[in-house]
Amino acid sequence: MNKFRAFAAVFSLFAIALVAFGINYVSVAESAVQTELDKNTRAVVIKGDRLCGTDHDPQKIAEAETDFAIRMAELRDNPGVDVNGGVINVYFHVVSNGSTGNISDTMINSQITVLNQAYDDWGWTFNLVSVNRTSNSTWFNGCYGSSETAMKNALHQGSADDLNIYTCNPSSGILGYATFPSSYSSAPLKDGVVLLYSSLPGGSAAPYNEGDTGTHEVGHWMGLYHTFQGGCAKSATGGGDFVSDTAAERSPAYGCPGGRDSCTGSRYPGVDPITNFMDYTDDYCMFQFTGGQDARMDAQFTSYRYNR
């Protein structure tokens, strides 16, 4: 994450975030938290500024959901494999700029532990197969944007049901991003999850340094959208994030705002799902998926990833 040297620059970042994600209001409750990583680099994270770079273009989502509905209908008409969990092999790619970003094996193992703690109750476990390390300053700083394709083409391993995780230094305040299952067939080498290296457990990107950026982005990789997708337009049958048992939420939640209820009235029962892994709250605040999210992950994995 970039270092911001002036107060005005912080507000410039917020302006970009508001446009990109359609967020109507984000308050900055605290000042920047700066932690020295080494003598040349500092990581700065603004509370209330979790940014996920996963592509949620409405047109792409509509196309993906139409295709998913067709596939689900075919599965109902022709019952076959129905995946309800399993072991996912993980290929971990550490991209650094010399010593900067060359995270430890302990941090990597801790990230795998965090993923297993989040997904194990739903039948999914993650098995670390290999770790490779690449020092490349261009890839390190351009992994969100100009260098993504080159980096992934060179490093990607496995098939659709294997998880590739890349750690680097995404630009524009991005903590991480992922590809959806429905994207695999059109761009298999781009499949995977990219994480800000300092967001892993023990990293410096407080309050996002307990590994749940990884949990959140793997959720996208498994087929989940943000809990606030569609805002208060979410329908009772699951439009928005296409999960019926996550309460409607007008916009992302930051920090840990207990009792927040941004969509009110009888049409929108329940308070905002601030503890859900697919919101934007601080790592310590998020700790759960729902049964509906689990069912969607199973169906997405069956439709797009299993044995592909």
Side-chain angles (χ1 to χ4, degrees):
M1 185 165 292
N2 296 324
K3 179 177 181 181
F4 301 101
R5 300 181 179 278
F7 192 68
V10 176
F11 279 89
S12 295
L13 175 63
F14 271 95
I16 294 170
L18 295 178
V19 172
F21 291 93
I23 302 170
N24 294 321
Y25 177 77
V26 177
S27 62
V28 184
E30 302 183 23
S31 61
V33 178
Q34 295 191 345
T35 303
E36 189 168 30
L37 297 178
D38 56 32
K39 64 181 180 181
N40 297 316
T41 304
R42 290 176 183 268
V44 178
V45 176
I46 314 303
K47 270 201 169 185
D49 186 28
R50 173 189 286 270
L51 295 181
C52 167
T54 300
D55 186 359
H56 284 79
D57 178 79
Q59 182 176 344
K60 292 179 181 178
I61 288 176
E63 292 171 353
E65 291 306 313
T66 297
D67 182 72
F68 182 47
I70 293 171
R71 289 172 183 251
M72 290 301 294
E74 290 173 348
L75 286 175
R76 286 191 294 269
D77 293 339
N78 301 286
V81 175
D82 186 10
V83 180
N84 294 300
V87 178
I88 296 174
N89 287 329
V90 180
Y91 297 94
F92 212 105
H93 312 283
V94 178
V95 178
S96 64
N97 182 9
S99 62
T100 304
N102 191 19
I103 57 175
S104 67
D105 288 341
T106 297
M107 293 175 72
I108 295 168
N109 290 327
S110 294
Q111 180 66 73
I112 298 299
T113 297
V114 169
L115 292 177
N116 281 324
Q117 290 171 341
Y119 288 89
D120 182 65
D121 286 347
W122 306 106
W124 297 100
T125 57
F126 297 85
N127 172 48
L128 182 62
V129 174
S130 66
V131 177
N132 65 68
R133 298 175 182 274
T134 305
S135 179
N136 185 314
S137 61
T138 301
W139 292 358
F140 179 68
N141 292 306
C143 57
Y144 178 68
S146 60
S147 297
E148 177 192 4
T149 299
M151 178 185 75
K152 289 182 173 179
N153 283 351
L155 300 178
H156 187 276
Q157 295 177 262
S159 55
D161 49 11
D162 299 316
L163 172 61
N164 282 260
I165 297 178
Y166 306 82
T167 57
C168 54
N169 187 40
S171 59
S172 304
I174 299 298
L175 281 170
Y177 65 98
T179 55
F180 291 113
S182 56
S183 302
Y184 181 84
S185 61
S186 62
L189 293 182
K190 295 186 79 169
D191 188 64
V193 166
V194 177
L195 302 175
L196 173 68
Y197 69 96
S198 53
S199 73
L200 272 67
S204 62
Y208 308 122
N209 61 344
E210 297 179 14
D212 282 325
T213 293
T215 306
H216 178 102
E217 298 305 338
V218 170
H220 289 318
W221 186 82
M222 295 286 286
L224 300 181
Y225 299 125
H226 293 137
T227 51
F228 48 85
Q229 189 76 22
C232 295
K234 173 176 175 172
S235 69
T237 56
D241 68 348
F242 294 90
V243 175
S244 60
D245 62 354
T246 56
E249 185 176 23
R250 184 179 299 277
S251 61
Y254 297 95
C256 195
R260 181 179 189 252
D261 191 7
S262 58
C263 297
T264 58
S266 59
R267 291 179 57 198
Y268 307 111
V271 297
D272 293 356
I274 66 165
T275 59
N276 195 282
F277 287 119
M278 302 313 294
D279 207 335
Y280 270 14
T281 48
D282 293 354
D283 279 13
Y284 81 90
C285 187
M286 53 173 61
F287 60 83
Q288 63 181 352
F289 291 114
T290 67
Q293 287 175 317
D294 172 52
R296 180 175 170 86
M297 287 191 285
D298 291 347
Q300 286 267 316
F301 202 92
T302 301
S303 296
Y304 295 107
R305 294 200 179 280
Y306 184 71
N307 279 348
R308 287 176 170 80

